[in-house]
Amino acid sequence: MWIPCQCCGRTFDESYPWYVCDTCGYRICPSCMNSFKCPKCAWGHMKRT
């Protein structure tokens, strides 16, 4: 299954190494990752899946 990055919009396979917020579920690809603080919510942290 192909999943779009919620930052850049490019699609990747679900087995791709995503970064997902542990609070709100915001999902980005490694090329969009620039901080472990979630850019969409106040308390979340990005975790690699």
Side-chain angles (χ1 to χ4, degrees):
M1 184 167 124
W2 294 92
I3 301 172
C5 172
Q6 292 179 306
C7 182
C8 67
R10 293 186 302 171
T11 57
F12 298 96
D13 186 71
E14 63 184 321
S15 63
Y16 197 71
W18 292 99
Y19 284 92
V20 179
C21 176
D22 60 2
T23 302
C24 71
Y26 184 67
R27 178 187 302 256
I28 59 174
C29 66
S31 62
C32 292
M33 179 69 174
N34 60 6
S35 170
F36 286 100
K37 170 71 181 85
C38 179
K40 294 292 179 186
C41 70
W43 300 279
H45 291 88
M46 304 305 285
K47 307 279 185 185
R48 188 171 181 176
T49 60

